[in-house]
Amino acid sequence: MTDRSAPHDAPSVRPTDAALPGAQLTVTGVDRPGVTAALFAALQSAGPRAVEVVDVEQVVVHGQLALGVVVREIGDGAAGNVAALVERLSGLAAEVSVATGMSVTVEASQPAPASRPRSGRPHHVIVLGRPVPPAAVAGAARAIAAVGGNIDAIRRLSDYPVTSFELTVSGAGSTELRTALATVAAETGTDVAVEQAGLSRRNKRLIVLDVDSTLVRGEVIDELAARAGRAAEVARITAAAMNGELDFEESLRARVAALAGLPATVLDEVREHLVLTPGARTLIRTLQHSGFRCGIVSGGFTQITDPLAAALGLDFAAANTLEVVDGRLTGGLVGEVVDRAGKARALARFAAEHGIPMEQTVAVGDGANDLDMLNAAGLGIAFNAKAVVREQAHAALNLPYLDAVLQVLGFTREEVLDAGSLSSSG
């Protein structure tokens, strides 16, 4: 085969656009329609030499526009005529300023500094709080720099019910970022989540939620135990199990045994008094409108979770089943126990049933029995969780709003509102 490639000793080398001389126009002022169009229309007729656009960046912060455009002349010898280009564009800038009411300045552009090689994939660092104090952003910035990271961009994701900002970070690994930022979160009372950037972030398609103390407030079994007069005993066992101090199945059977003799009607009473965690409906509605499969996996009981799943329009549910004989609880269970390993198996089963790869799944939970499920998911989120869970999950949220999960997934407030309006109109 004949090699028709260029000889190695005669490469065609072209400087990067950022390294070539040119002029930068900076537009600032109160944002209004038509500003960007007016500027580029003027550049289009900026003769006698045509110009090409080298770089553009625009941002609007609370109605204030900042637009930067770098251009250079096209043609032989144009690169050495920057002063003439700046002078020519100054007249154009004055015309655009009068036409739009904006401030428009022109100066010679500075070559961008050579970027140092950055290892690893970029990450998104999400800072959430109500409020987000300046110390949280400053602390996050210092922590990122300390591990060799660089903040490439910042944008606001939401202002209600929590304020959240997304920092796009390059040059640092996931583990280093999470470790460094955990201290910032603890010191400032905010939540800081870290997730790798890329298509996989917004390619998630299935979410499973734990129920007790995640989807709903409180622990159902504690409510049942209170009606059996054994609340304190069961609460101690529950706390030890959620902290990872007891085997979950062993603790579950011990707690269920304390319910022996209760009338089955008590299950209906407890279910009717369930209180959803704030933001639960918003989370589910938004994800469903985005094409997610949504469900619950619980160490609780099907007599509670199945009607709950039906009421919320969920795609699947898995939980334990209390044995009922002659209208009363026997203190036993029926069928396979959904324990720590069982939750992970349920997640894998639901993903397989819907043809969704595990890396495209999300799991949210608060207890040690959720750890296998959180680790198996593409993204595992600890929600108001025990310390052992926060330390091992991919991300941790300590705010009381379940829809803060949306910001970890990169959803903006506008997207959440759009999903709500679609639901109302449907």
Side-chain angles (χ1 to χ4, degrees):
M1 179 181 295
T2 303
D3 184 0
R4 298 186 182 276
S5 60
H8 292 294
D9 60 349
S12 176
V13 178
R14 183 174 183 266
T16 63
D17 287 343
L20 292 171
Q24 177 171 331
L25 298 96
T26 303
V27 181
T28 57
V30 177
D31 189 31
R32 64 196 67 186
V35 173
T36 304
L39 176 64
F40 279 92
L43 288 171
Q44 184 178 2
S45 57
R49 283 181 179 270
V51 297
E52 65 174 330
V53 179
V54 176
D55 197 5
V56 181
E57 189 156 349
Q58 176 174 315
V59 64
V60 178
V61 180
H62 276 260
Q64 293 291 320
L65 169 71
L67 167 63
V69 180
V70 177
V71 299
R72 67 161 179 249
E73 290 183 327
I74 302 172
D76 295 337
N81 202 22
V82 174
L85 174 63
V86 170
E87 182 179 354
R88 177 159 59 92
L89 293 181
S90 294
L92 177 148
E95 295 174 4
V96 173
S97 180
V98 171
T100 62
M102 309 292 281
S103 170
V104 186
T105 62
V106 185
E107 60 185 344
S109 64
Q110 299 299 316
S115 59
R116 61 187 176 87
R118 300 191 182 279
S119 59
R121 292 175 57 185
H123 289 78
H124 294 297
V125 172
I126 304 94
V127 181
L128 311 94
R130 190 176 183 187
V132 173
V137 180
R142 285 193 297 269
I144 290 166
V147 296
N150 184 69
I151 300 174
D152 300 325
I154 302 177
R155 66 168 178 155
R156 187 183 71 177
L157 292 177
S158 65
D159 58 0
Y160 182 85
V162 299
T163 300
S164 61
F165 299 97
E166 178 187 84
L167 288 63
T168 303
V169 176
S170 59
S174 301
T175 301
E176 294 88 349
L177 284 170
R178 289 193 177 104
T179 301
L181 291 166
T183 301
V184 176
E187 291 176 348
T188 61
T190 54
D191 286 340
V192 184
V194 178
E195 189 176 358
Q196 277 196 341
L199 292 176
S200 62
R201 186 191 189 203
R202 290 300 294 267
N203 202 27
K204 301 292 190 296
R205 297 167 53 201
L206 180 148
I207 188 170
V208 293
L209 302 164
D210 173 47
V211 176
D212 295 344
S213 298
T214 300
L215 181 64
V216 303
R217 289 178 163 178
E219 298 283 331
V220 166
I221 198 165
D222 290 348
E223 296 295 325
L224 294 172
R227 286 164 170 75
R230 302 179 70 173
E233 172 190 348
V234 169
R236 284 194 297 271
I237 300 173
T238 298
M242 292 300 99
N243 285 322
E245 299 166 8
L246 288 178
D247 172 76
F248 181 79
E249 181 174 352
E250 177 186 354
S251 69
L252 176 64
R253 292 190 182 278
R255 287 176 289 167
V256 169
L259 307 180
L262 276 178
T265 53
V266 168
L267 295 169
D268 298 327
E269 296 171 11
V270 169
R271 185 176 64 248
E272 289 171 2
H273 287 88
L274 287 178
V275 177
L276 290 174
T277 299
R281 290 187 185 277
T282 299
L283 172 66
I284 292 168
R285 178 182 65 239
T286 304
L287 293 180
Q288 287 175 332
H289 276 286
S290 298
F292 268 65
R293 296 289 185 173
C294 303
I296 50 180
V297 177
S298 174
F301 312 114
T302 57
Q303 289 94 336
I304 301 291
T305 58
D306 284 354
L308 178 62
L312 292 173
L314 302 181
D315 297 293
F316 48 81
N320 299 294
T321 300
L322 293 166
E323 185 179 51
V324 178
V325 175
D326 296 331
R328 291 188 176 273
L329 305 187
T330 67
L333 296 168
V334 177
E336 179 184 356
V337 171
V338 179
D339 56 6
R340 175 170 168 167
K343 284 192 167 189
R345 288 195 298 270
L347 166 61
R349 182 172 69 252
F350 294 138
E353 288 174 358
H354 293 288
I356 296 173
M358 287 295 288
E359 60 267 22
Q360 294 180 7
T361 66
V362 181
V364 185
D366 74 303
N369 65 320
D370 295 312
L371 276 172
D372 288 5
M373 177 177 74
L374 298 181
N375 289 327
L379 175 64
I381 302 174
F383 180 74
N384 289 301
K386 314 303 182 286
V388 65
V389 183
R390 292 197 304 270
E391 292 165 1
Q392 297 184 49
H394 300 131
L397 293 173
N398 296 305
L399 294 160
Y401 308 102
L402 193 57
D403 50 344
V405 168
L406 293 170
Q407 276 70 66
V408 177
L409 294 172
F411 284 82
T412 65
R413 179 66 179 162
E414 290 71 23
E415 289 173 311
V416 175
L417 292 174
D418 284 346
S421 64
L422 287 172
S423 177
S424 300
S425 64

